[in-house]
Amino acid sequence: MKAIVFDVFGTIVDWRSSLIHQFNELEKELGIELPSDVLTDQWRHQYAPSMNRVRQGDIPWMGLDDLHRESLVKLLNQHGIALGEATIDRINHFWHQLEPWPDVQNGLQRLKEHYIIGTLTNGNLSLMVDVARHAKLPWDMVFCAELFQHYKPDAEVYLGACHLLRLPPEEVMLCAAHNYDLGAARALGMKTAFIPRRTEYGPQQSKDLEAEEAWDFVAADLAALSEQLID
Amino acid sequence: MKAIVFDVFGTIVDWRSSLIHQFNELEKELGIELPSDVLTDQWRHQYAPSMNRVRQGDIPWMGLDDLHRESLVKLLNQHGIALGEATIDRINHFWHQLEPWPDVQNGLQRLKEHYIIGTLTNGNLSLMVDVARHAKLPWDMVFCAELFQHYKPDAEVYLGACHLLRLPPEEVMLCAAHNYDLGAARALGMKTAFIPRRTEYGPQQSKDLEAEEAWDFVAADLAALSEQLID
């Protein structure tokens, strides 16, 4: 194994807490009230359906920033919340400023000493560069759906990264907190590592609490994964 | 200005000294004699012509690692040097282990505090990831010709990076030791910074000793550039 690529939203960064926190800060600043938790959860609920419109060919390629903004505008309308364009842009930018889980920075630094590390994310490139800068993530490479004009779990994303690394899939491992993502990677011959993030979707989370297949590695977090991988 | 992208071979890494050093080490190890300086210079001399075959459509897309290897095999034949495939692979890999100029690591770290920093290189992705890991270059993103299936100075490379960064060209600066590269960037609306590397091609270097146009910034090295850019 030469390289490890990581899912980002949920696996590396705690998007839900980060978004709610930023909604709360905006409320204070603008002196308005927003249903921050509900908006966050409903916004993320549009994530897969919005990408599926691209994946199924219903609409041409759109980056995640643009899909996020479309979903946000629709959501604000549904709630009868009227905000200016600049404020909507600012809220959309919340996704660029997500906090990492506590084990991430040290874990990635440790893994980087032995493996090439990169993202394998549905976020568009500029979004992912901003997240990495904000969260101080020491990626060797930012692989993202936008480079391949396909969203995960389309095979093009996984194989595209392996191809650019000039490595066969069996020498590349996907690390993710989501079983569906690992299933797609394994079907293409990649190694797999599962890390549960049991509060990614909040206190009521009901999925991805455990590994649903015998993935190559299952670890509590990136610190534990690096211990399993490195003597 | 939001982002600075850098030419790598010559601007960031001292490919010539690094190659000669590695040829010399190989000579000692294998107990053979090689015309290291001549091989290095003749090998690099094939760089532009080999890419031009792709740029002109004479051959389909090939990454730089593959072009390098073709040129190397031809060159060894011309010199009547017989080496095994594994040794040829190893020599081709010399390009993955290049040393940075002395100002590079601190200069990039300083610039990264204020700007997105990335490569804009004709090297293929895996080559560039290896160079960055070897030389400890803290890139936010590795942009390379391979992502756009075009070699510099084709416009697709420069504009492709700006597009992925979601920035207009005037908010992206190319930093390079080569006037032709900066000329291509400026023609597309990008900002430009020239840094001379007067020994890149060895003691007899005759080109790119000075800025040949009034580039937006001209600095002795990355330390000096960061001083000009950052108060």
Side-chain angles (χ1 to χ4, degrees), chain B residues 56-114:
Chain B
Q56 293 157 6
D58 299 339
I59 55 171
W61 177 260
M62 280 179 78
L64 190 61
D65 267 335
D66 307 306
L67 294 174
H68 273 157
R69 201 180 191 287
E70 272 199 5
S71 302
L72 176 60
V73 167
K74 207 168 73 179
L75 194 60
L76 293 172
N77 285 340
Q78 284 167 0
H79 283 269
I81 301 169
L83 296 171
E85 292 295 308
T87 305
I88 294 175
D89 285 341
R90 195 168 147 198
I91 295 173
N92 209 42
H93 206 261
F94 286 176
W95 288 97
H96 292 231
Q97 301 168 96
L98 303 174
E99 303 303 325
W101 298 102
D103 53 288
V104 162
Q105 288 165 338
N106 287 344
L108 288 182
Q109 207 61 60
R110 181 89 204 284
L111 291 166
K112 182 171 175 161
E113 291 164 18
H114 292 80

Side-chain angles (χ1 to χ4, degrees), chain B residues 5-8 118-122 143 152 157-158 161 174 190:
Chain B
V5 290
F6 297 78
D7 171 62
V8 175
T119 65
L120 195 75
T121 172
N122 279 333
F143 293 112
K152 293 192 291 182
V157 186
Y158 306 86
L174 175 69
M190 292 171 72

Side-chain angles (χ1 to χ4, degrees), chain A residues 66 112 115 133 140 166, chain B residues 66 112 115 133 140 166:
Chain A
D66 305 306
K112 182 171 178 162
Y115 305 97
R133 288 174 60 86
D140 290 310
R166 299 195 166 209
Chain B
D66 307 306
K112 182 171 175 161
Y115 304 98
R133 287 174 61 84
D140 291 308
R166 298 194 168 212

Side-chain angles (χ1 to χ4, degrees), chain A residues 46-96:
Chain A
Q46 289 309 310
Y47 176 69
S50 69
M51 291 187 298
N52 283 341
R53 290 166 60 215
V54 175
R55 294 183 60 229
Q56 293 158 4
D58 300 339
I59 54 171
W61 176 260
M62 279 179 76
L64 191 60
D65 267 335
D66 305 306
L67 294 174
H68 273 158
R69 200 180 192 285
E70 273 198 6
S71 303
L72 176 61
V73 167
K74 207 167 75 178
L75 194 60
L76 294 172
N77 286 340
Q78 284 167 0
H79 283 271
I81 301 169
L83 296 171
E85 291 296 307
T87 305
I88 294 174
D89 284 342
R90 193 166 148 199
I91 295 173
N92 209 44
H93 205 261
F94 286 175
W95 288 97
H96 292 231

